[in-house]
Short mmCIF file of all heavy atoms in Angstrom, two decimals:
data_model
loop_
_atom_site.label_atom_id
_atom_site.label_comp_id
_atom_site.label_asym_id
_atom_site.label_seq_id
_atom_site.Cartn_x
_atom_site.Cartn_y
_atom_site.Cartn_z
N PRO C 333 29.00 22.59 86.63
CA PRO C 333 28.17 22.48 87.84
C PRO C 333 28.45 23.51 88.91
O PRO C 333 27.53 24.01 89.57
CB PRO C 333 28.47 21.06 88.33
CG PRO C 333 28.92 20.31 87.12
CD PRO C 333 29.68 21.33 86.32
N ASP C 334 29.72 23.84 89.13
CA ASP C 334 30.06 24.73 90.24
C ASP C 334 29.56 26.14 90.00
O ASP C 334 29.05 26.80 90.92
CB ASP C 334 31.57 24.70 90.45
CG ASP C 334 32.10 23.28 90.61
OD1 ASP C 334 31.50 22.53 91.41
OD2 ASP C 334 33.05 22.92 89.92
N ALA C 335 29.68 26.62 88.77
CA ALA C 335 29.16 27.95 88.44
C ALA C 335 27.65 27.99 88.59
O ALA C 335 27.08 28.99 89.05
CB ALA C 335 29.55 28.32 87.01
N LEU C 336 26.96 26.91 88.23
CA LEU C 336 25.51 26.86 88.37
C LEU C 336 25.11 26.95 89.85
O LEU C 336 24.18 27.68 90.20
CB LEU C 336 24.96 25.56 87.77
CG LEU C 336 25.25 25.30 86.29
CD1 LEU C 336 24.62 23.98 85.87
CD2 LEU C 336 24.76 26.43 85.42
N SER C 337 25.81 26.19 90.70
CA SER C 337 25.45 26.16 92.11
C SER C 337 25.56 27.53 92.77
O SER C 337 24.73 27.89 93.61
CB SER C 337 26.35 25.16 92.86
OG SER C 337 26.06 23.84 92.49
N VAL C 338 26.57 28.29 92.40
CA VAL C 338 26.83 29.55 93.09
C VAL C 338 26.15 30.73 92.42
O VAL C 338 26.11 31.83 92.99
CB VAL C 338 28.36 29.78 93.19
CG1 VAL C 338 28.93 30.29 91.86
CG2 VAL C 338 28.70 30.72 94.34
N ALA C 339 25.57 30.54 91.23
CA ALA C 339 25.01 31.67 90.49
C ALA C 339 23.94 32.45 91.25
O ALA C 339 23.96 33.69 91.25
CB ALA C 339 24.47 31.19 89.14
N PRO C 340 22.96 31.81 91.93
CA PRO C 340 21.97 32.61 92.66
C PRO C 340 22.58 33.46 93.76
O PRO C 340 22.16 34.60 93.97
CB PRO C 340 21.02 31.55 93.23
CG PRO C 340 21.17 30.38 92.32
CD PRO C 340 22.61 30.37 91.94
N LEU C 341 23.56 32.92 94.48
CA LEU C 341 24.23 33.69 95.53
C LEU C 341 24.97 34.88 94.92
O LEU C 341 24.84 36.01 95.40
CB LEU C 341 25.20 32.79 96.29
CG LEU C 341 26.12 33.49 97.31
CD1 LEU C 341 25.31 34.18 98.40
CD2 LEU C 341 27.09 32.47 97.92
N ALA C 342 25.75 34.63 93.88
CA ALA C 342 26.49 35.71 93.23
C ALA C 342 25.54 36.75 92.67
O ALA C 342 25.79 37.97 92.77
CB ALA C 342 27.38 35.14 92.12
N ALA C 343 24.43 36.29 92.09
CA ALA C 343 23.46 37.22 91.50
C ALA C 343 22.81 38.08 92.56
O ALA C 343 22.63 39.29 92.38
CB ALA C 343 22.41 36.44 90.71
N GLU C 344 22.45 37.49 93.70
CA GLU C 344 21.80 38.26 94.75
C GLU C 344 22.75 39.26 95.41
O GLU C 344 22.35 40.37 95.77
CB GLU C 344 21.24 37.30 95.81
CG GLU C 344 20.16 37.87 96.69
CD GLU C 344 20.71 38.65 97.88
OE1 GLU C 344 21.87 38.41 98.27
OE2 GLU C 344 19.97 39.49 98.43
N LYS C 345 24.01 38.89 95.51
CA LYS C 345 25.00 39.74 96.18
C LYS C 345 25.68 40.73 95.24
O LYS C 345 26.35 41.65 95.71
CB LYS C 345 26.07 38.86 96.84
CG LYS C 345 25.57 38.01 98.00
CD LYS C 345 25.12 38.89 99.16
CE LYS C 345 24.75 38.07 100.37
NZ LYS C 345 24.28 38.92 101.50
N GLY C 346 25.54 40.53 93.93
CA GLY C 346 26.25 41.40 93.00
C GLY C 346 27.73 41.09 92.92
O GLY C 346 28.55 41.98 92.70
N TRP C 347 28.08 39.82 93.09
CA TRP C 347 29.47 39.38 92.99
C TRP C 347 29.73 38.91 91.57
O TRP C 347 28.97 38.10 91.02
CB TRP C 347 29.77 38.24 93.96
CG TRP C 347 29.59 38.60 95.40
CD1 TRP C 347 29.56 39.84 95.96
CD2 TRP C 347 29.39 37.67 96.49
NE1 TRP C 347 29.37 39.78 97.32
CE2 TRP C 347 29.27 38.45 97.68
CE3 TRP C 347 29.32 36.29 96.59
CZ2 TRP C 347 29.08 37.88 98.93
CZ3 TRP C 347 29.14 35.72 97.83
CH2 TRP C 347 29.02 36.50 98.99
#
Side-chain angles (χ1 to χ4, degrees):
D334 307 311
L336 301 181
S337 290
V338 78
L341 172 61
E344 200 275 338
K345 293 294 186 182
W347 298 340

